[in-house]
Amino acid sequence: MTIPIRAAADADQADIIALWHACGLVVSHNDPAADFRFALAGPASAVLVAEGEGGIIGSVMVGHDGHRGWLYYLAAAPGRQGQGIGRALVAAAEAWLRVRGVPKVQLMIRPTNTAVARFYDRLGYAEEPRVIMAKRLTLPG
């Protein structure tokens, strides 16, 4: 089964954010609308959507820093999971990065999300021993 995938447009924002909420991807310290707008505005990022009967059935945010690509917000509609949507979106995101000459793709998974870890393992992703350090910045405005 071929799943149509395209770049998201501004008009898709509400549907995509609703999908992210339905899939439990939104956390209190992230503003999904700001994340969506930022990804669409930048030359090094995009949101890709899978379409099916009734509209958007999946999405992934993809971006890069010139060396490493990153995947975020991979979502397949809860009633459509297990139908290859996630796999198709990951393949599309990897192709998006490949076209831009990005040699590596990474993602982060919460340690409690073992089902997602198994999904990515089946796609050839492997855990790499790294320490991820972060600092939240106060943004102007």
Side-chain angles (χ1 to χ4, degrees):
M1 168 173 86
T2 302
I3 299 169
I5 297 176
R6 63 171 173 81
D10 290 333
D12 297 320
Q13 179 176 321
D15 290 340
I16 291 171
I17 292 173
L19 173 67
W20 293 347
H21 277 285
C23 292
L25 300 178
V26 177
V27 293
S28 63
H29 54 268
N30 287 359
D31 177 351
D35 291 345
F36 179 86
R37 288 190 306 271
F38 191 83
L40 262 58
S45 56
V47 177
L48 306 177
V49 296
E51 291 186 302
E53 196 173 303
I56 293 172
I57 58 172
S59 74
V60 64
M61 183 182 292
V62 59
H64 70 88
D65 61 14
H67 177 71
R68 288 178 189 88
W70 288 90
L71 303 183
Y72 305 94
Y73 287 112
L74 177 66
R80 302 289 305 265
Q81 292 173 2
Q83 298 178 10
I85 297 164
R87 179 180 296 271
L89 285 162
V90 169
E94 290 173 352
W96 188 94
L97 290 165
R98 224 177 263 110
V99 165
R100 287 155 181 82
V102 180
K104 183 178 185 179
V105 61
Q106 299 181 155
L107 50 93
M108 292 183 281
I109 303 169
R110 292 182 189 98
T112 56
N113 202 345
T114 56
V116 169
R118 287 190 304 272
F119 167 79
Y120 283 113
D121 184 61
R122 288 190 304 272
L123 295 183
Y125 286 72
E127 187 173 338
E128 290 189 347
R130 302 288 185 265
V131 174
I132 297 173
M133 299 179 72
K135 177 181 178 182
R136 297 219 179 266
L137 303 176
T138 303
L139 300 178

